[in-house]
Amino acid sequence: MSGNGDAAATAEENSSKMRVIRVGTRKSQVSLARIQTDSVVATLKALYPGLQFEIIAMSTTGDKILDTALSKIGEKSLFTKELELALERNEVDLVVHSLKDLPTVLPPGFTIGAICKRESPYDAVVFHPKFVGKTLETLPEKSVVGTSSLRRAAQLQRKFPHLEFKSIRGNLNTRLRKLDELQEFSAIILAAAGLQRMGWQNRVGQILHPEECMYAVGQGALGVEVRAKDQDILDLVGVLHDPETLLRCIAERAFLRHLEGGCSVPVAVHTAMKDGQLYLTGGVWSLNGADSMQETMQATIHVPAQHEDGPEDDPQLVGITARNIPQQAQLAAESLGISLATLLLNKGAKNILDVARQLNDAH
């Protein structure tokens, strides 16, 4: 009996000596942000059984302003600012985000230390119970579809002119409740990855493929933000990098950054890695989808096995640090994104984006 007591006391003593890694997340109980954070922490716990992980939740600006379309608020770091302040003040060591929420230029002192394996990057349609079995194409004339994204609305208005698109805000739970309980929306558009992570795949009535609706930069991937000079934590989270997801997302983020797009203009992408080639399709749209421009380019990129030795220096590319992935592959991906953005800008994309920005600001 006393032997067991001693063992328990020793275990308790050891756990009190364990290093604690503090992980920041957006506040709310069964939220997507919490589920995403928990999944990354579970992976880290399995990799580092000798460490303790403590999750610290906090509210962000984006969680507090729920009555305004995201594109109208004009704040690039809506869901990240408070979490970055906690990182800066050393109150947390890392923060898990949806990569699509992270601006392509991070504030000084921060970096994305890991990009986890991407889940489905596509958008999904969830229908009101009375329209289950329908598709966007077969919804009745003038049906109202809810989306908080200019990117989705612009592309879908062009593709499905018989539908009307209206802004809908709130977390996933709130949006689904608005769909089911109010008679306002026939369907809403959400990221498929978010529905998957919440375990709500059964609500997906239709997956939108790139020819119908290209996705947001970084959609479906999780990014782990850390202090840029915290080498310890960078080493700790670096093993989470998924090489293919990383290279696709570097290309996508470089494309968006060079276009100077953000959530106040409709910009979308599609990437694929096949036989050593990285294919990037990018497009820009006017707010109503009437004007659009898209192109595809490709580059030869060797997708490395994880843990190949990378360079010793730590250059950040589009806000990302990945020491264990060869720099040559990262630079090739970044160059592809910049080249595609340059091609679109040379063809007049800037005019489409400027008009979209002005119209959005005016509304």
Side-chain angles (χ1 to χ4, degrees), residues 49-84:
L51 296 178
Q52 260 187 320
F53 292 86
E54 181 190 347
I55 294 175
I56 297 167
M58 57 199 83
S59 292
T60 69
T61 310
D63 297 314
K64 293 170 192 159
I65 308 174
L66 290 175
D67 55 352
T68 310
L70 291 179
S71 58
K72 295 275 186 289
I73 301 167
E75 169 61 72
K76 265 190 176 166
S77 50
L78 269 185
F79 297 109
T80 59
K81 202 180 215 166
E82 284 82 354
L83 297 164
E84 282 172 345

PDB file of all heavy atoms in Angstrom, residues 49-84:
ATOM      1  N   PRO A  49       5.999  13.571 -24.381  1.00  0.00           N
ATOM      2  CA  PRO A  49       5.320  13.132 -23.149  1.00  0.00           C
ATOM      3  C   PRO A  49       5.910  13.759 -21.882  1.00  0.00           C
ATOM      4  O   PRO A  49       5.259  13.795 -20.847  1.00  0.00           O
ATOM      5  CB  PRO A  49       5.496  11.609 -23.160  1.00  0.00           C
ATOM      6  CG  PRO A  49       6.575  11.325 -24.150  1.00  0.00           C
ATOM      7  CD  PRO A  49       6.602  12.452 -25.116  1.00  0.00           C
ATOM      8  N   GLY A  50       7.130  14.303 -21.989  1.00  0.00           N
ATOM      9  CA  GLY A  50       7.772  14.897 -20.807  1.00  0.00           C
ATOM     10  C   GLY A  50       7.347  16.344 -20.552  1.00  0.00           C
ATOM     11  O   GLY A  50       7.812  16.965 -19.592  1.00  0.00           O
ATOM     12  N   LEU A  51       6.474  16.880 -21.395  1.00  0.00           N
ATOM     13  CA  LEU A  51       6.048  18.281 -21.217  1.00  0.00           C
ATOM     14  C   LEU A  51       4.579  18.345 -20.827  1.00  0.00           C
ATOM     15  O   LEU A  51       3.795  17.471 -21.167  1.00  0.00           O
ATOM     16  CB  LEU A  51       6.244  19.058 -22.524  1.00  0.00           C
ATOM     17  CG  LEU A  51       7.675  19.228 -23.041  1.00  0.00           C
ATOM     18  CD1 LEU A  51       7.661  19.970 -24.370  1.00  0.00           C
ATOM     19  CD2 LEU A  51       8.528  19.997 -22.042  1.00  0.00           C
ATOM     20  N   GLN A  52       4.242  19.408 -20.131  1.00  0.00           N
ATOM     21  CA  GLN A  52       2.833  19.658 -19.799  1.00  0.00           C
ATOM     22  C   GLN A  52       2.339  20.792 -20.668  1.00  0.00           C
ATOM     23  O   GLN A  52       3.081  21.736 -20.961  1.00  0.00           O
ATOM     24  CB  GLN A  52       2.707  20.086 -18.339  1.00  0.00           C
ATOM     25  CG  GLN A  52       2.278  18.961 -17.428  1.00  0.00           C
ATOM     26  CD  GLN A  52       1.999  19.505 -16.026  1.00  0.00           C
ATOM     27  OE1 GLN A  52       2.724  20.360 -15.544  1.00  0.00           O
ATOM     28  NE2 GLN A  52       0.963  19.010 -15.394  1.00  0.00           N
ATOM     29  N   PHE A  53       1.077  20.711 -21.101  1.00  0.00           N
ATOM     30  CA  PHE A  53       0.504  21.768 -21.933  1.00  0.00           C
ATOM     31  C   PHE A  53      -0.716  22.357 -21.239  1.00  0.00           C
ATOM     32  O   PHE A  53      -1.598  21.621 -20.799  1.00  0.00           O
ATOM     33  CB  PHE A  53       0.122  21.211 -23.312  1.00  0.00           C
ATOM     34  CG  PHE A  53       1.328  20.819 -24.127  1.00  0.00           C
ATOM     35  CD1 PHE A  53       1.909  19.551 -23.984  1.00  0.00           C
ATOM     36  CD2 PHE A  53       1.911  21.710 -25.011  1.00  0.00           C
ATOM     37  CE1 PHE A  53       3.032  19.191 -24.715  1.00  0.00           C
ATOM     38  CE2 PHE A  53       3.036  21.365 -25.756  1.00  0.00           C
ATOM     39  CZ  PHE A  53       3.591  20.102 -25.606  1.00  0.00           C
ATOM     40  N   GLU A  54      -0.728  23.680 -21.146  1.00  0.00           N
ATOM     41  CA  GLU A  54      -1.855  24.366 -20.498  1.00  0.00           C
ATOM     42  C   GLU A  54      -2.518  25.270 -21.538  1.00  0.00           C
ATOM     43  O   GLU A  54      -1.840  26.049 -22.219  1.00  0.00           O
ATOM     44  CB  GLU A  54      -1.323  25.219 -19.332  1.00  0.00           C
ATOM     45  CG  GLU A  54      -2.405  25.951 -18.574  1.00  0.00           C
ATOM     46  CD  GLU A  54      -1.820  26.980 -17.594  1.00  0.00           C
ATOM     47  OE1 GLU A  54      -0.604  26.948 -17.325  1.00  0.00           O
ATOM     48  OE2 GLU A  54      -2.609  27.823 -17.121  1.00  0.00           O
ATOM     49  N   ILE A  55      -3.843  25.147 -21.687  1.00  0.00           N
ATOM     50  CA  ILE A  55      -4.556  25.952 -22.685  1.00  0.00           C
ATOM     51  C   ILE A  55      -5.157  27.181 -22.011  1.00  0.00           C
ATOM     52  O   ILE A  55      -5.844  27.087 -20.995  1.00  0.00           O
ATOM     53  CB  ILE A  55      -5.644  25.108 -23.384  1.00  0.00           C
ATOM     54  CG1 ILE A  55      -4.958  24.005 -24.206  1.00  0.00           C
ATOM     55  CG2 ILE A  55      -6.520  25.971 -24.282  1.00  0.00           C
ATOM     56  CD1 ILE A  55      -5.877  23.014 -24.866  1.00  0.00           C
ATOM     57  N   ILE A  56      -4.853  28.351 -22.571  1.00  0.00           N
ATOM     58  CA  ILE A  56      -5.336  29.621 -22.018  1.00  0.00           C
ATOM     59  C   ILE A  56      -6.239  30.278 -23.057  1.00  0.00           C
ATOM     60  O   ILE A  56      -5.798  30.574 -24.170  1.00  0.00           O
ATOM     61  CB  ILE A  56      -4.142  30.541 -21.656  1.00  0.00           C
ATOM     62  CG1 ILE A  56      -3.301  29.872 -20.552  1.00  0.00           C
ATOM     63  CG2 ILE A  56      -4.616  31.923 -21.232  1.00  0.00           C
ATOM     64  CD1 ILE A  56      -1.951  30.503 -20.312  1.00  0.00           C
ATOM     65  N   ALA A  57      -7.525  30.476 -22.716  1.00  0.00           N
ATOM     66  CA  ALA A  57      -8.498  30.998 -23.682  1.00  0.00           C
ATOM     67  C   ALA A  57      -8.737  32.489 -23.466  1.00  0.00           C
ATOM     68  O   ALA A  57      -8.755  32.965 -22.333  1.00  0.00           O
ATOM     69  CB  ALA A  57      -9.809  30.241 -23.547  1.00  0.00           C
ATOM     70  N   MET A  58      -8.904  33.232 -24.550  1.00  0.00           N
ATOM     71  CA  MET A  58      -9.194  34.676 -24.448  1.00  0.00           C
ATOM     72  C   MET A  58     -10.084  35.136 -25.597  1.00  0.00           C
ATOM     73  O   MET A  58     -10.107  34.517 -26.666  1.00  0.00           O
ATOM     74  CB  MET A  58      -7.889  35.478 -24.400  1.00  0.00           C
ATOM     75  CG  MET A  58      -6.968  35.255 -25.551  1.00  0.00           C
ATOM     76  SD  MET A  58      -5.270  35.774 -25.171  1.00  0.00           S
ATOM     77  CE  MET A  58      -4.652  34.330 -24.302  1.00  0.00           C
ATOM     78  N   SER A  59     -10.827  36.223 -25.367  1.00  0.00           N
ATOM     79  CA  SER A  59     -11.717  36.765 -26.405  1.00  0.00           C
ATOM     80  C   SER A  59     -10.930  37.636 -27.371  1.00  0.00           C
ATOM     81  O   SER A  59     -10.005  38.334 -26.968  1.00  0.00           O
ATOM     82  CB  SER A  59     -12.806  37.623 -25.768  1.00  0.00           C
ATOM     83  OG  SER A  59     -13.660  36.801 -25.024  1.00  0.00           O
ATOM     84  N   THR A  60     -11.319  37.622 -28.642  1.00  0.00           N
ATOM     85  CA  THR A  60     -10.664  38.470 -29.645  1.00  0.00           C
ATOM     86  C   THR A  60     -11.681  39.465 -30.201  1.00  0.00           C
ATOM     87  O   THR A  60     -12.888  39.298 -30.030  1.00  0.00           O
ATOM     88  CB  THR A  60     -10.118  37.620 -30.810  1.00  0.00           C
ATOM     89  OG1 THR A  60     -11.228  37.093 -31.539  1.00  0.00           O
ATOM     90  CG2 THR A  60      -9.240  36.486 -30.329  1.00  0.00           C
ATOM     91  N   THR A  61     -11.167  40.489 -30.881  1.00  0.00           N
ATOM     92  CA  THR A  61     -12.031  41.517 -31.465  1.00  0.00           C
ATOM     93  C   THR A  61     -13.088  40.889 -32.364  1.00  0.00           C
ATOM     94  O   THR A  61     -14.257  41.243 -32.325  1.00  0.00           O
ATOM     95  CB  THR A  61     -11.178  42.496 -32.320  1.00  0.00           C
ATOM     96  OG1 THR A  61     -10.078  42.913 -31.519  1.00  0.00           O
ATOM     97  CG2 THR A  61     -11.977  43.699 -32.770  1.00  0.00           C
ATOM     98  N   GLY A  62     -12.661  39.930 -33.202  1.00  0.00           N
ATOM     99  CA  GLY A  62     -13.583  39.284 -34.144  1.00  0.00           C
ATOM    100  C   GLY A  62     -14.698  38.535 -33.440  1.00  0.00           C
ATOM    101  O   GLY A  62     -15.805  38.404 -33.966  1.00  0.00           O
ATOM    102  N   ASP A  63     -14.426  38.034 -32.224  1.00  0.00           N
ATOM    103  CA  ASP A  63     -15.459  37.324 -31.467  1.00  0.00           C
ATOM    104  C   ASP A  63     -16.460  38.297 -30.857  1.00  0.00           C
ATOM    105  O   ASP A  63     -17.585  37.931 -30.534  1.00  0.00           O
ATOM    106  CB  ASP A  63     -14.825  36.497 -30.333  1.00  0.00           C
ATOM    107  CG  ASP A  63     -13.911  35.407 -30.872  1.00  0.00           C
ATOM    108  OD1 ASP A  63     -14.334  34.718 -31.805  1.00  0.00           O
ATOM    109  OD2 ASP A  63     -12.785  35.269 -30.377  1.00  0.00           O
ATOM    110  N   LYS A  64     -16.014  39.540 -30.656  1.00  0.00           N
ATOM    111  CA  LYS A  64     -16.886  40.526 -29.982  1.00  0.00           C
ATOM    112  C   LYS A  64     -17.768  41.283 -30.971  1.00  0.00           C
ATOM    113  O   LYS A  64     -18.868  41.694 -30.625  1.00  0.00           O
ATOM    114  CB  LYS A  64     -16.019  41.530 -29.194  1.00  0.00           C
ATOM    115  CG  LYS A  64     -15.285  40.886 -28.014  1.00  0.00           C
ATOM    116  CD  LYS A  64     -14.251  41.851 -27.428  1.00  0.00           C
ATOM    117  CE  LYS A  64     -13.317  41.143 -26.461  1.00  0.00           C
ATOM    118  NZ  LYS A  64     -12.075  41.873 -26.272  1.00  0.00           N
ATOM    119  N   ILE A  65     -17.257  41.509 -32.194  1.00  0.00           N
ATOM    120  CA  ILE A  65     -18.047  42.278 -33.179  1.00  0.00           C
ATOM    121  C   ILE A  65     -18.768  41.278 -34.073  1.00  0.00           C
ATOM    122  O   ILE A  65     -18.202  40.778 -35.034  1.00  0.00           O
ATOM    123  CB  ILE A  65     -17.135  43.183 -34.049  1.00  0.00           C
ATOM    124  CG1 ILE A  65     -16.235  44.042 -33.168  1.00  0.00           C
ATOM    125  CG2 ILE A  65     -17.962  44.058 -34.977  1.00  0.00           C
ATOM    126  CD1 ILE A  65     -15.196  44.852 -33.923  1.00  0.00           C
ATOM    127  N   LEU A  66     -20.025  40.978 -33.751  1.00  0.00           N
ATOM    128  CA  LEU A  66     -20.709  39.921 -34.489  1.00  0.00           C
ATOM    129  C   LEU A  66     -21.803  40.451 -35.406  1.00  0.00           C
ATOM    130  O   LEU A  66     -22.475  39.688 -36.075  1.00  0.00           O
ATOM    131  CB  LEU A  66     -21.313  38.904 -33.504  1.00  0.00           C
ATOM    132  CG  LEU A  66     -20.272  38.052 -32.771  1.00  0.00           C
ATOM    133  CD1 LEU A  66     -20.930  37.174 -31.737  1.00  0.00           C
ATOM    134  CD2 LEU A  66     -19.469  37.208 -33.744  1.00  0.00           C
ATOM    135  N   ASP A  67     -21.989  41.783 -35.412  1.00  0.00           N
ATOM    136  CA  ASP A  67     -23.105  42.319 -36.193  1.00  0.00           C
ATOM    137  C   ASP A  67     -22.636  43.019 -37.471  1.00  0.00           C
ATOM    138  O   ASP A  67     -23.401  43.670 -38.149  1.00  0.00           O
ATOM    139  CB  ASP A  67     -23.922  43.300 -35.331  1.00  0.00           C
ATOM    140  CG  ASP A  67     -23.032  44.396 -34.747  1.00  0.00           C
ATOM    141  OD1 ASP A  67     -21.800  44.285 -34.902  1.00  0.00           O
ATOM    142  OD2 ASP A  67     -23.567  45.342 -34.148  1.00  0.00           O
ATOM    143  N   THR A  68     -21.344  42.895 -37.787  1.00  0.00           N
ATOM    144  CA  THR A  68     -20.787  43.593 -38.955  1.00  0.00           C
ATOM    145  C   THR A  68     -20.074  42.585 -39.846  1.00  0.00           C
ATOM    146  O   THR A  68     -19.396  41.696 -39.332  1.00  0.00           O
ATOM    147  CB  THR A  68     -19.762  44.664 -38.495  1.00  0.00           C
ATOM    148  OG1 THR A  68     -20.361  45.445 -37.477  1.00  0.00           O
ATOM    149  CG2 THR A  68     -19.330  45.550 -39.645  1.00  0.00           C
ATOM    150  N   ALA A  69     -20.222  42.723 -41.163  1.00  0.00           N
ATOM    151  CA  ALA A  69     -19.516  41.819 -42.084  1.00  0.00           C
ATOM    152  C   ALA A  69     -18.014  41.976 -41.873  1.00  0.00           C
ATOM    153  O   ALA A  69     -17.519  43.079 -41.680  1.00  0.00           O
ATOM    154  CB  ALA A  69     -19.888  42.155 -43.522  1.00  0.00           C
ATOM    155  N   LEU A  70     -17.304  40.850 -41.904  1.00  0.00           N
ATOM    156  CA  LEU A  70     -15.848  40.866 -41.663  1.00  0.00           C
ATOM    157  C   LEU A  70     -15.137  41.847 -42.587  1.00  0.00           C
ATOM    158  O   LEU A  70     -14.221  42.554 -42.182  1.00  0.00           O
ATOM    159  CB  LEU A  70     -15.259  39.463 -41.916  1.00  0.00           C
ATOM    160  CG  LEU A  70     -15.639  38.374 -40.914  1.00  0.00           C
ATOM    161  CD1 LEU A  70     -15.005  37.070 -41.330  1.00  0.00           C
ATOM    162  CD2 LEU A  70     -15.197  38.756 -39.513  1.00  0.00           C
ATOM    163  N   SER A  71     -15.565  41.893 -43.846  1.00  0.00           N
ATOM    164  CA  SER A  71     -14.878  42.735 -44.828  1.00  0.00           C
ATOM    165  C   SER A  71     -15.053  44.214 -44.528  1.00  0.00           C
ATOM    166  O   SER A  71     -14.303  45.051 -45.003  1.00  0.00           O
ATOM    167  CB  SER A  71     -15.406  42.433 -46.228  1.00  0.00           C
ATOM    168  OG  SER A  71     -16.802  42.655 -46.269  1.00  0.00           O
ATOM    169  N   LYS A  72     -16.063  44.566 -43.708  1.00  0.00           N
ATOM    170  CA  LYS A  72     -16.335  45.980 -43.408  1.00  0.00           C
ATOM    171  C   LYS A  72     -15.497  46.481 -42.230  1.00  0.00           C
ATOM    172  O   LYS A  72     -15.301  47.666 -42.048  1.00  0.00           O
ATOM    173  CB  LYS A  72     -17.813  46.171 -43.020  1.00  0.00           C
ATOM    174  CG  LYS A  72     -18.782  45.863 -44.136  1.00  0.00           C
ATOM    175  CD  LYS A  72     -18.969  47.073 -45.018  1.00  0.00           C
ATOM    176  CE  LYS A  72     -20.027  46.835 -46.052  1.00  0.00           C
ATOM    177  NZ  LYS A  72     -19.648  45.925 -47.085  1.00  0.00           N
ATOM    178  N   ILE A  73     -15.049  45.578 -41.393  1.00  0.00           N
ATOM    179  CA  ILE A  73     -14.387  46.002 -40.149  1.00  0.00           C
ATOM    180  C   ILE A  73     -12.998  46.551 -40.455  1.00  0.00           C
ATOM    181  O   ILE A  73     -12.497  47.442 -39.778  1.00  0.00           O
ATOM    182  CB  ILE A  73     -14.337  44.838 -39.127  1.00  0.00           C
ATOM    183  CG1 ILE A  73     -15.770  44.364 -38.827  1.00  0.00           C
ATOM    184  CG2 ILE A  73     -13.677  45.279 -37.831  1.00  0.00           C
ATOM    185  CD1 ILE A  73     -15.840  43.050 -38.090  1.00  0.00           C
ATOM    186  N   GLY A  74     -12.384  46.020 -41.513  1.00  0.00           N
ATOM    187  CA  GLY A  74     -11.123  46.581 -41.987  1.00  0.00           C
ATOM    188  C   GLY A  74      -9.941  46.324 -41.077  1.00  0.00           C
ATOM    189  O   GLY A  74      -8.901  46.925 -41.218  1.00  0.00           O
ATOM    190  N   GLU A  75     -10.073  45.428 -40.145  1.00  0.00           N
ATOM    191  CA  GLU A  75      -8.979  45.113 -39.222  1.00  0.00           C
ATOM    192  C   GLU A  75      -8.399  43.772 -39.661  1.00  0.00           C
ATOM    193  O   GLU A  75      -9.085  42.766 -39.647  1.00  0.00           O
ATOM    194  CB  GLU A  75      -9.549  45.036 -37.798  1.00  0.00           C
ATOM    195  CG  GLU A  75      -8.612  44.463 -36.767  1.00  0.00           C
ATOM    196  CD  GLU A  75      -7.348  45.270 -36.587  1.00  0.00           C
ATOM    197  OE1 GLU A  75      -7.404  46.361 -36.016  1.00  0.00           O
ATOM    198  OE2 GLU A  75      -6.296  44.774 -37.027  1.00  0.00           O
ATOM    199  N   LYS A  76      -7.125  43.774 -40.071  1.00  0.00           N
ATOM    200  CA  LYS A  76      -6.539  42.552 -40.629  1.00  0.00           C
ATOM    201  C   LYS A  76      -6.366  41.445 -39.595  1.00  0.00           C
ATOM    202  O   LYS A  76      -6.398  40.281 -39.913  1.00  0.00           O
ATOM    203  CB  LYS A  76      -5.183  42.864 -41.266  1.00  0.00           C
ATOM    204  CG  LYS A  76      -5.288  43.128 -42.748  1.00  0.00           C
ATOM    205  CD  LYS A  76      -3.914  43.176 -43.372  1.00  0.00           C
ATOM    206  CE  LYS A  76      -4.014  43.345 -44.890  1.00  0.00           C
ATOM    207  NZ  LYS A  76      -2.752  43.709 -45.484  1.00  0.00           N
ATOM    208  N   SER A  77      -6.143  41.855 -38.347  1.00  0.00           N
ATOM    209  CA  SER A  77      -5.844  40.839 -37.338  1.00  0.00           C
ATOM    210  C   SER A  77      -7.010  40.663 -36.372  1.00  0.00           C
ATOM    211  O   SER A  77      -6.837  40.562 -35.167  1.00  0.00           O
ATOM    212  CB  SER A  77      -4.585  41.229 -36.574  1.00  0.00           C
ATOM    213  OG  SER A  77      -4.692  42.574 -36.133  1.00  0.00           O
ATOM    214  N   LEU A  78      -8.223  40.598 -36.949  1.00  0.00           N
ATOM    215  CA  LEU A  78      -9.452  40.489 -36.156  1.00  0.00           C
ATOM    216  C   LEU A  78      -9.426  39.395 -35.098  1.00  0.00           C
ATOM    217  O   LEU A  78      -9.881  39.584 -33.982  1.00  0.00           O
ATOM    218  CB  LEU A  78     -10.600  40.140 -37.104  1.00  0.00           C
ATOM    219  CG  LEU A  78     -11.375  41.298 -37.704  1.00  0.00           C
ATOM    220  CD1 LEU A  78     -12.528  40.746 -38.496  1.00  0.00           C
ATOM    221  CD2 LEU A  78     -11.862  42.216 -36.602  1.00  0.00           C
ATOM    222  N   PHE A  79      -8.949  38.213 -35.511  1.00  0.00           N
ATOM    223  CA  PHE A  79      -9.005  37.063 -34.617  1.00  0.00           C
ATOM    224  C   PHE A  79      -7.648  36.752 -33.999  1.00  0.00           C
ATOM    225  O   PHE A  79      -7.463  35.730 -33.366  1.00  0.00           O
ATOM    226  CB  PHE A  79      -9.530  35.835 -35.369  1.00  0.00           C
ATOM    227  CG  PHE A  79     -10.932  36.004 -35.867  1.00  0.00           C
ATOM    228  CD1 PHE A  79     -11.197  36.152 -37.206  1.00  0.00           C
ATOM    229  CD2 PHE A  79     -11.999  36.045 -34.976  1.00  0.00           C
ATOM    230  CE1 PHE A  79     -12.487  36.327 -37.676  1.00  0.00           C
ATOM    231  CE2 PHE A  79     -13.301  36.222 -35.427  1.00  0.00           C
ATOM    232  CZ  PHE A  79     -13.544  36.364 -36.771  1.00  0.00           C
ATOM    233  N   THR A  80      -6.665  37.647 -34.217  1.00  0.00           N
ATOM    234  CA  THR A  80      -5.318  37.298 -33.772  1.00  0.00           C
ATOM    235  C   THR A  80      -4.696  38.306 -32.822  1.00  0.00           C
ATOM    236  O   THR A  80      -3.793  37.972 -32.071  1.00  0.00           O
ATOM    237  CB  THR A  80      -4.379  37.138 -34.996  1.00  0.00           C
ATOM    238  OG1 THR A  80      -4.356  38.375 -35.722  1.00  0.00           O
ATOM    239  CG2 THR A  80      -4.855  36.052 -35.930  1.00  0.00           C
ATOM    240  N   LYS A  81      -5.181  39.548 -32.845  1.00  0.00           N
ATOM    241  CA  LYS A  81      -4.490  40.638 -32.139  1.00  0.00           C
ATOM    242  C   LYS A  81      -4.294  40.353 -30.639  1.00  0.00           C
ATOM    243  O   LYS A  81      -3.186  40.434 -30.128  1.00  0.00           O
ATOM    244  CB  LYS A  81      -5.285  41.928 -32.318  1.00  0.00           C
ATOM    245  CG  LYS A  81      -4.447  43.178 -32.114  1.00  0.00           C
ATOM    246  CD  LYS A  81      -5.301  44.412 -32.320  1.00  0.00           C
ATOM    247  CE  LYS A  81      -4.528  45.527 -32.958  1.00  0.00           C
ATOM    248  NZ  LYS A  81      -5.398  46.584 -33.456  1.00  0.00           N
ATOM    249  N   GLU A  82      -5.402  40.006 -29.953  1.00  0.00           N
ATOM    250  CA  GLU A  82      -5.297  39.771 -28.501  1.00  0.00           C
ATOM    251  C   GLU A  82      -4.370  38.595 -28.195  1.00  0.00           C
ATOM    252  O   GLU A  82      -3.633  38.590 -27.209  1.00  0.00           O
ATOM    253  CB  GLU A  82      -6.685  39.505 -27.895  1.00  0.00           C
ATOM    254  CG  GLU A  82      -7.530  40.750 -27.728  1.00  0.00           C
ATOM    255  CD  GLU A  82      -8.249  41.190 -28.998  1.00  0.00           C
ATOM    256  OE1 GLU A  82      -8.028  40.599 -30.072  1.00  0.00           O
ATOM    257  OE2 GLU A  82      -9.031  42.137 -28.932  1.00  0.00           O
ATOM    258  N   LEU A  83      -4.430  37.581 -29.058  1.00  0.00           N
ATOM    259  CA  LEU A  83      -3.583  36.400 -28.852  1.00  0.00           C
ATOM    260  C   LEU A  83      -2.108  36.764 -29.055  1.00  0.00           C
ATOM    261  O   LEU A  83      -1.232  36.290 -28.339  1.00  0.00           O
ATOM    262  CB  LEU A  83      -4.003  35.289 -29.816  1.00  0.00           C
ATOM    263  CG  LEU A  83      -5.446  34.775 -29.588  1.00  0.00           C
ATOM    264  CD1 LEU A  83      -5.938  33.988 -30.793  1.00  0.00           C
ATOM    265  CD2 LEU A  83      -5.544  33.915 -28.340  1.00  0.00           C
ATOM    266  N   GLU A  84      -1.842  37.651 -30.024  1.00  0.00           N
ATOM    267  CA  GLU A  84      -0.457  38.094 -30.256  1.00  0.00           C
ATOM    268  C   GLU A  84       0.056  38.946 -29.094  1.00  0.00           C
ATOM    269  O   GLU A  84       1.224  38.864 -28.725  1.00  0.00           O
ATOM    270  CB  GLU A  84      -0.362  38.865 -31.580  1.00  0.00           C
ATOM    271  CG  GLU A  84      -0.345  37.924 -32.768  1.00  0.00           C
ATOM    272  CD  GLU A  84      -0.450  38.625 -34.113  1.00  0.00           C
ATOM    273  OE1 GLU A  84      -0.820  39.815 -34.163  1.00  0.00           O
ATOM    274  OE2 GLU A  84      -0.175  37.969 -35.124  1.00  0.00           O
TER     275      GLU A  84
END
